[in-house]
Every structure is written in structure tokens, then in C-alpha cells.
Amino acid sequence: MDEMILLKLGELVLKGLNRRSFEDRLIANARRQLQPYGHFRVYARQSTLYVEPRDSQADVAGAFEAMKHLFGVVGLSRALSCPKDKDAILDTVKSYLGDRLSAAKTFKVETKRADKTFPMTSIQLSQYVGGELDDAYPHLKVDVHHPELTVYLEVRDYAAYVHADPEPGAGGLPVGTAGRAVSLLSGGIDSPVASWMMAKRGLALEMVHFYSYPYTSPEAKQKVLDLAGQLTGWCGSLTVHVVPFTAIQEALMRSCPEALFTVLMRRFMMRIAQRVAQRIGAGALVTGESLGQVASQTIDAMRITGAACTLPILRPVVGMDKEEIVRIARQIGTFETSILPYEDCCTVFTPRHPRLHPLPGEIETAEAGLDIDGMVEAAFQGIERVRIH
């Protein structure tokens, strides 16, 4: 039989009557991520997702790597199926894992018998296969506590499955099960991590990026599109709404106190992001703000910024320090792109002495002479939408 992939489901198995909808979404997401690797059959049974190649052209190795990025899965293994017969199972272990058994020094066998009609208990099957392997590979020693190789046997509805050394999955919930949100994506380290964290909780995302040409370069814009591309392996296809932001920043520089510039600029970002969210039916905004990291991320500044919109603002990295955020950025593959030395719209207009604790009254005074609705509408109408697969 052909090699396949077993995916162990995560917390969605705890769902009640709506569990089927979570599984359906997970299957749809898996099929989407598998498309570049050939034709596969994907189905769920007994808290496990099965990924079976439909023909010899399917790239099982590539599919396995892709499934490591599938939110909703806590563990995965490449496996071989066989008839539910003790000798067929033993033969499959020898043929499928023979090289690894020959290379290992210690081993053990673990069995899960989901099909209770199978005539042997889990312990009996483990003892039988383990004993036969001990005879067939004299150099091997049994070590039930710290084995070099663990042979896993699963007896399920349709077949038995043999595998070894499962790998951790992405965890979380299937993308799309928690609704839709708009994430503010800059060229920095934090916002891609924040986007990844909310996708892990089941949010389907679209991105908003604020672009200030000619103060920021086409390379800076491409950097952000590259970051979005790196997130698609986790989130699926993404739309990046590129907002022309130069006119708003120039108007603020002409009319507003320099010390308040960053907070005022971020208030406009929230207003525009909310317009995008309303257009696509999203229920929240996502930012990469981390408390105290920069002047615009004090409690007072975040309160003033959030007051510019009515949608909830999700800040998943707000309580994390930079080392924690960098660790995740490295894990998900965005760090090296994030540190490329291209400017973004926030850094090129940073005031010399930003106000750390702005007050509502002074913000209202600073915005009083601005045509806020007109400025937001002009930026919204100028959005360039880039679809990234």
C-alpha cells in the first residue's frame, strides 16, 4: 500500500455539536495547502485526518512539510497502511521501518486499538510485534522509557497503520473558524507575528499596509508583500490592501504638533483599516503593538489610538518582550525578511520628541482643522489590492 499522512486533531475535538463544521473547515484548508503537491484524498475519522495520495505522482514528502503549517493539527506522521492482521502488521513494520530498526540501538512498540473488534488488545499486539522484532534484530534492546525508536501501531476502522517518530503540528484552530479580521502589516518584526498568532486562533485575515511613496521605496513595499507571501503557508491566500498614505502624513506635518504626529497618524490608520474591514465584512482589527516598546505603544497612546475606531482591536503580542517575538518570527520564517533595511511609513516621519501620554483634549484640538472624513475617503479610494497565493 502507498505511504500516507496521519494528522492528529487538536482542541477542535473538544467542540460539541459544531465539531463537524470545524472538521469540514480543516479538511478544506488541508486540500488547499495540498494542491501544489498532487492529488490527495483527505477525510476525518476518530480524531484523525487522513491524507492519502491518489496516484504515484503525488509528492508525499512535500505534502508532509505543508501539513506542518496546518492550524488545527497537533501532530503528524508519515505512515503505511496494511490489513488488520497481526502478521500483516509485523511484515509492514519490517518493510517500512526496517532501515530505522537496523540503525537504532533501543526501541519500543506502542499500540492504539481504536477498532475494538480487533481480536488482540493494545498490549497484546505491542508484545507480539515487539517480541518478533527483538528476535529479528538481535542488536536491538527494548527500552520502554527512553527508546531511540518508537514503533507506533494504530488499528482503526478501515486499516492498520504503522509509523514512527511523529512530529508536532501547528496547533490552534482551523483558519476561518473564528471569523475574519484585518491585520495592519508593516515591514517590521511584530506585525507578521501578530498576524500569525491570530490566524492560529482561527481568524481568516486580510492585510492593510500603509505606503508613503516617495518617502518609502518600492523595495519597502515589496518587502511587505514578501512577508505576506511567507504567511500564506500558514494562513492561506491573502489580500494585501496597500493604502496610499503620503497625503495624510504631509497634511499632519503641516497642521499638527510634531510631538503628537505618531499618535495622530495611527488614528488615521485605524480609521482606514476599519473602512477596509467594513468593506470585507471583518469583525476586528489586528496590530503588532507591544506595551511600552515604542512611544506610540504606551497605555495612553494605545487608548487614544483605539478610540478612533469602533471595531475591537486585537493585540496578541501586547504582553511579549522582543526576544519572545523574535523567537516566533524565526520559527515562522519571517524574521530575515523583517530585518531587511528598508524604511516604512512610521519610521520616516518619527517626531524627535513624541508625546508618551497624549490626552484626549489635545488630540481633538489637533484634529479640529482636518477634513478627517475626506482624507480617509481619498486614501480608501486609492487602495491597491494585491492578491498573494
Side-chain angles (χ1 to χ4, degrees), residues 14-22:
L14 303 176
K15 302 299 179 182
L17 297 177
N18 62 345
R19 173 174 166 174
R20 181 58 184 270
S21 65
F22 282 79

Side-chain angles (χ1 to χ4, degrees), residues 7-13 19 23 26 47-49 72-74:
L7 307 175
K8 302 301 181 180
L9 307 189
E11 62 185 276
L12 66 87
V13 302
R19 173 174 166 174
E23 289 183 348
L26 180 63
S47 302
T48 299
L49 209 66
V73 172
V74 295

Side-chain angles (χ1 to χ4, degrees), residues 163-190:
H163 60 97
D165 296 336
E167 297 196 29
L173 294 171
V175 171
T177 56
R180 181 178 295 274
V182 167
S183 185
L184 281 69
L185 186 65
S186 71
I189 298 171
D190 303 339

Side-chain angles (χ1 to χ4, degrees), residues 222-241:
Q222 186 58 49
K223 171 184 172 179
V224 172
L225 298 180
D226 291 342
L227 285 170
Q230 290 163 344
L231 289 171
T232 59
W234 305 90
C235 306
S237 297
L238 292 171
T239 297
V240 181
H241 302 256

